[in-house]
Amino acid sequence: DGGITQSPKYLFRKEGQNVTLSCEQNLNHDAMYWYRQDPGQGLRLIYYSQIVNDFQKGDIAEGYSVSREKKESFPLTVTSAQKNPTAFYLCASSPQGPGGQPQHFGDGTRLSIL
Amino acid sequence: GQQVMQIPQYQHVQEGEDFTTYCNSSTTLSNIQWYKQRPGGHPVFLIQLVKSGEVKKQKRLTFQFGEAKKNSSLHITATQTTDVGTYFCAGNDYKLSFGAGTTVTVRA
């Protein structure tokens, strides 16, 4: 079945540590997205990529970095500069981006600070 | 920048009753999408509205796009326990902006 795979499901970070969240899709979609979801809030866009080797900052990019070396993969690194990283992180993709087409979401990664 | 507001934030519904959630944008939208997120799950696309005044139905769910393309609503009739979850609208002008969602609980 086609879909989006996020790993790990749960992740714990120590203070001052960078961590990388994985997102892989086999839907052959050009566009991929990273969102952050906090309790009682909607999805806030961190970064998005419309094509390989290109990506743009979203609304809350500070403290995060991404790469898009392959069409299928869009990893997100939460750096030590992100002071409040505890959240639920969702990866999504769409045939093209950034708007106008439905987005397909992975199951998410829940990040917590130790 | 574009802002999408959604009300109410919480909706407690007696099983069998109807309810409506509303979505308002600060800018004119090219289209609007609705998603549902079950507890512990991820958002799942429900529908997209494109035309001014458009109305679409999915069984007990009725989606409407305003004439000015700045607001939308989702009306659910005869609520069931399977309707539990958070419903998000997402407005698109040059990018997709999600509302904060309406979290629905159902009293059996």
Side-chain angles (χ1 to χ4, degrees):
Chain A
D1 285 339
I4 298 178
T5 301
Q6 288 188 244
S7 61
K9 191 175 179 71
Y10 299 96
L11 187 58
F12 299 92
R13 193 191 90 168
K14 296 180 180 179
E15 293 285 347
Q17 187 179 48
N18 293 355
V19 291
T20 298
L21 283 60
S22 171
C23 178
E24 303 279 332
Q25 56 102 355
N26 60 5
L27 298 167
N28 199 32
H29 285 173
D30 285 329
M32 297 187 74
Y33 314 81
W34 274 105
Y35 292 93
R36 171 180 172 139
Q37 186 174 31
D38 295 284
Q41 298 191 31
L43 281 65
R44 292 185 289 168
L45 183 64
I46 305 172
Y47 269 98
Y48 66 98
S49 168
Q50 298 184 68
I51 198 168
V52 174
N53 291 323
D54 187 51
F55 48 84
Q56 286 79 39
K57 293 181 179 180
D59 300 319
I60 55 166
E62 185 174 351
Y64 301 97
S65 66
V66 294
S67 63
R68 186 86 187 276
E69 297 177 1
K70 298 186 300 181
K71 186 175 185 177
E72 304 79 18
S73 179
F74 192 41
L76 173 74
T77 296
V78 184
T79 75
S80 56
Q82 172 50 243
K83 298 306 179 188
N84 185 23
T86 297
F88 187 47
Y89 291 87
L90 286 159
C91 179
S93 71
S94 63
Q96 296 169 352
Q101 294 181 318
Q103 294 188 9
H104 300 256
F105 286 82
D107 288 337
T109 293
R110 199 166 295 277
L111 176 63
S112 301
I113 297 300
L114 289 177
Chain B
Q2 176 191 354
Q3 286 190 323
V4 175
M5 307 299 291
Q6 202 172 343
I7 56 170
Q9 185 175 1
Y10 299 100
Q11 183 78 56
H12 308 290
V13 188
Q14 180 71 42
E15 191 173 16
E17 290 184 344
D18 303 351
F19 75 90
T20 303
T21 175
Y22 300 90
C23 185
N24 293 288
S25 170
S26 58
T27 60
T28 301
L29 302 170
S30 58
N31 61 71
I32 195 160
Q33 299 174 4
W34 284 88
Y35 293 79
K36 178 182 179 181
Q37 184 175 22
R38 295 182 184 276
H42 59 267
V44 175
F45 173 78
L46 294 177
I47 208 160
Q48 178 170 284
L49 305 171
V50 179
K51 298 177 183 177
S52 170
E54 188 171 16
V55 178
K56 288 187 176 181
K57 292 189 176 184
Q58 289 181 349
K59 298 182 179 178
R60 295 177 294 102
L61 279 61
T62 301
F63 303 84
Q64 188 166 5
F65 202 8
E67 294 291 339
K69 301 184 75 173
K70 296 180 73 172
N71 57 72
S72 181
S73 64
L74 161 59
H75 181 78
I76 299 182
T77 59
T79 303
Q80 299 177 359
T81 55
T82 53
D83 296 324
V84 164
T86 301
Y87 294 83
F88 294 99
C89 63
N92 179 46
D93 50 16
Y94 66 96
K95 66 177 178 68
L96 210 58
S97 293
F98 283 80
T102 294
T103 298
V104 177
T105 55
V106 179
R107 299 189 299 273

